[in-house]
Amino acid sequence: GAVVSQHPSWVICKSGTSVKIECRSLDFQATTMFWYRQFPKQSLMLMATSNEGSKATYEQGVEKDKFLINHASLTLSTLTVTSAHPEDSSFYICSARIATPYNEQFFGPGTRLTVL
Amino acid sequence: GEDVEQSLFLSVREGDSSVINCTYTDSSSTYLYWYKQEPGAGLQLLTYIFSNMDMKQDQRLTVLLNKKDKHLSLRIADTQTGDSAIYFCADFSGNTGKLIFGQGTTLQVKP
């Protein structure tokens, strides 16, 4: 099956620093990649949609200057949390959509971010 | 806006069948999906059903779709302790091109 990886799987950083999370589709080219945020015992909240070579589309209420998304190739998207603060601590999950009629979306294993 | 609702918790005994229910409001839905999330992990795509189908079976999993009532269910036969996880129902919206997730149903399987 289609595999999506994320790196790192967890990260602890100091308040005010920036953190970059990578999302890769390992065995397929993804037409579109998505970034989600998940709070404990809650559902996934879509943050942004990114297509290779174009600017990401952010959901309402998500600060694009805070959460920088770069989709450099059909297999790699990165999310940079800039000037992180404790309230940015969360579980960040990426997904990649495969170009089939079924619009299947495959998810990465997630990145646990803790900001001290 | 489009919405997906699930019950939050289900507890069953090992060997029993589990039925997780989901309702959605999107009239432009094309595909509906079931994902499984284990603690600290991402989401695993279990199965999906096209909106013009009534049923899909895949080994221990049976998906039933009532399009008129906008009701989707996932039946897991012979539930095992390894099936304990959170199950998310998701609707692919033809209007927005995005997946809309339910809140997730925590399935607890007792030995």
Side-chain angles (χ1 to χ4, degrees):
Chain A
V3 179
V4 176
S5 71
Q6 273 184 250
H7 178 80
S9 54
W10 59 270
V11 58
I12 301 173
C13 69
K14 291 182 179 179
S15 188
T17 61
S18 294
V19 174
K20 181 187 281 188
I21 303 169
E22 288 187 352
C23 176
R24 292 181 187 273
S25 57
L26 296 186
D27 50 1
F28 66 98
Q29 291 186 329
T31 53
T32 307
M33 287 185 166
F34 304 85
W35 287 95
Y36 295 83
R37 186 172 178 177
Q38 188 180 31
F39 293 101
K41 299 191 185 302
Q42 293 190 25
S43 189
L44 281 72
M45 182 190 81
L46 179 63
M47 299 174 67
T49 303
S50 77
N51 293 288
E52 182 258 344
S54 61
K55 288 184 180 179
T57 302
Y58 290 81
E59 294 300 299
Q60 195 171 8
V62 177
E63 299 175 59
K64 60 182 180 183
D65 295 330
K66 172 82 171 164
F67 299 101
L68 299 178
I69 292 171
N70 185 353
H71 196 152
S73 74
L74 284 170
T75 60
L76 173 64
S77 176
T78 60
L79 168 69
T80 302
V81 183
T82 62
S83 186
H85 290 284
E87 57 266 29
D88 299 324
S89 297
S90 192
F91 194 54
Y92 292 88
I93 307 177
C94 75
S95 72
R97 179 176 291 162
I98 200 165
T100 72
Y102 312 111
N103 291 308
E104 294 150 286
Q105 227 170 283
F106 296 93
F107 285 78
T111 297
R112 171 74 58 194
L113 170 64
T114 302
V115 184
L116 302 177
Chain B
E2 293 136 351
D3 194 23
V4 177
E5 297 277 339
Q6 295 177 242
S7 53
L8 296 181
F9 186 78
L10 175 66
S11 180
V12 300
R13 292 239 173 250
E14 192 174 18
D16 288 349
S17 291
S18 308
V19 180
I20 302 171
N21 294 299
C22 170
T23 58
Y24 61 98
T25 60
D26 180 18
S27 58
S28 71
S29 176
T30 53
Y31 288 93
L32 295 129
Y33 305 84
W34 284 102
Y35 285 89
K36 176 184 180 183
Q37 185 179 35
E38 298 186 27
L43 273 66
Q44 174 195 353
L45 177 62
L46 289 177
T47 187
Y48 59 86
I49 188 168
F50 187 44
S51 59
N52 70 353
M53 294 171 64
D54 298 323
M55 186 183 88
K56 181 178 180 182
Q57 186 152 2
D58 185 0
Q59 299 182 332
R60 291 193 297 124
L61 305 178
T62 303
V63 179
L64 294 178
L65 174 61
N66 182 327
K67 191 172 181 179
K68 176 176 169 288
D69 294 339
K70 295 190 172 67
H71 182 268
L72 182 74
S73 67
L74 173 69
R75 178 177 180 270
I76 305 172
D78 187 25
T79 312
Q80 303 297 306
T81 54
D83 295 324
S84 294
I86 301 174
Y87 290 80
F88 289 95
C89 165
D91 161 40
F92 180 78
S93 168
N95 285 334
T96 64
K98 298 173 188 173
L99 276 181
I100 302 166
F101 285 91
Q103 311 94 307
T105 299
T106 298
L107 175 62
Q108 178 190 67
V109 183
K110 296 180 180 177

